[in-house]
Amino acid sequence: MAEAAATADAPAAVTETAAQTTAPKTTPGGVDKSETVYAKANADGTVTETTVEAVLKARNGATIPDVAALRDIINKEGDEEYTTGADNALTWQNSGSAITYEGKSDAALPVTTRVTYYLNGVETAPDDLAGQSGRVRIRFDYTNHTRETVTVDGQEYTGSVPFTAITAVILDGDKFSNVEADNGKVMELDGQTAVLGTAMPGLADGAQELHDGVQEFSDKSSGDLSDDFGSGLRNVVRRLKAVQQAGKNYQTFSGLPAGSTGSVKFIVETAEIKK
């Protein structure tokens, strides 16, 4: 959340989101696919357009298998062509170089952002804020829509994929003053004020899972320490591993061929409010 005295329109914001655990390295003979998902959103955080840029790297073979639930796909840096198959399968020509392509997606993002504006303590619609003066407060709320079930030592755990979200807002120093931020940092940059905020949407589920495990560990360990201490501690470790595994498992947004590994990050640009 950022708060400032202002005589200005509300600025644009950029939020970058990624799963907290990186994906494993490419499997031998497989395809490594990295995705950057660019989304444009209205001032309130509602997404209006999503573009996925993907980079494919191949080892050997005349073709590169891929999966992409995208439309209007174009090769951005080469002349390799692709053919389509069932279930969003793509087969790219392999020229020995990485393939960078992009396409449009209609799928919902795993983490969404809601932006709320306040003027002098009163919630104000973005369109009504344009051109106004006073104490402006901008609040960013993140919702994690993912659910992942993982198995650790034969036991199933279900929770959200842990994400880290970083939101950046640049404020004109001539129009904004006395800037403050909760869960963030304010920096002065050549007459402008940069506000960086961080959040971990979905980690609350993981923290609750871990808390439950700690509580169970504590309850059981209050009795026979020789038997319950070990089992309670193992349960805590299993729950922690489940949170980590959920992050590792989230490797793609548009799709990934079987036997391949991937990584994905999301960049959402929220529109500025202008009179």
Side-chain angles (χ1 to χ4, degrees):
M1 184 271 288
E3 187 169 338
T7 305
D9 305 323
V14 176
T15 299
E16 180 172 324
T17 309
Q20 291 183 15
T21 308
T22 57
K25 295 182 179 179
T26 306
T27 53
V31 177
D32 182 27
K33 178 178 181 178
S34 61
E35 294 172 284
T36 303
V37 181
Y38 299 95
K40 293 182 178 181
N42 292 330
D44 64 359
T46 303
V47 173
T48 58
E49 180 180 284
T50 302
T51 302
V52 179
E53 181 177 286
V55 179
L56 297 176
K57 296 181 180 178
R59 298 293 182 86
N60 300 306
T63 60
I64 303 175
D66 186 24
V67 174
L70 302 172
R71 53 181 172 79
D72 304 328
I73 295 174
I74 59 171
N75 188 338
K76 293 187 64 179
E77 298 183 2
D79 55 8
E80 298 92 346
E81 298 181 349
Y82 67 89
T83 57
T84 60
D87 300 322
N88 301 311
L90 303 179
T91 302
W92 289 88
Q93 296 174 341
N94 186 6
S95 64
S97 301
I99 295 176
T100 301
Y101 70 89
E102 72 173 29
K104 302 295 184 182
S105 174
D106 298 317
L109 300 184
V111 176
T112 55
T113 305
R114 180 169 62 89
V115 188
T116 309
Y117 302 85
Y118 300 85
L119 180 63
N120 298 323
V122 179
E123 183 174 341
T124 305
D127 291 342
D128 296 334
L129 186 65
Q132 300 298 316
S133 300
R135 191 72 182 174
V136 176
R137 180 186 177 207
I138 307 174
R139 179 183 174 92
F140 294 83
D141 290 286
Y142 310 90
T143 302
N144 189 328
H145 303 279
T146 63
R147 301 296 291 175
E148 183 79 19
T149 299
V150 299
T151 301
V152 178
D153 296 337
Q155 295 191 24
E156 287 190 349
Y157 299 89
T158 300
S160 299
V161 175
F163 281 87
T164 298
I166 301 175
T167 296
V169 181
I170 304 297
L171 306 173
D172 188 337
D174 294 332
K175 299 178 180 179
F176 291 85
S177 61
N178 301 321
V179 179
E180 301 174 356
D182 295 337
N183 300 320
K185 184 175 182 180
V186 179
M187 297 176 291
E188 300 299 329
L189 301 171
D190 298 327
Q192 294 183 316
T193 301
V195 182
L196 295 178
T198 59
M200 296 182 179
L203 187 60
D205 285 352
Q208 186 62 45
E209 287 277 357
L210 185 57
H211 173 270
D212 291 344
V214 171
Q215 185 63 46
E216 183 177 343
F217 163 67
S218 177
D219 293 343
K220 288 185 176 181
S221 296
S222 62
D224 187 349
L225 292 179
S226 62
D227 294 331
D228 294 334
F229 184 87
S231 62
L233 182 59
R234 284 193 295 272
N235 190 49
V236 172
V237 173
R238 282 196 298 266
R239 290 177 185 271
L240 181 58
K241 287 182 178 179
V243 175
Q244 295 174 331
Q245 189 60 48
K248 288 182 179 180
N249 289 352
Y250 194 89
Q251 298 183 28
T252 182
F253 176 70
S254 66
L256 196 64
S260 302
T261 59
S263 62
V264 58
K265 66 179 179 180
F266 301 85
I267 298 177
V268 180
E269 181 178 355
T270 305
E272 64 179 327
I273 301 172
K274 300 185 69 173
K275 186 175 179 180

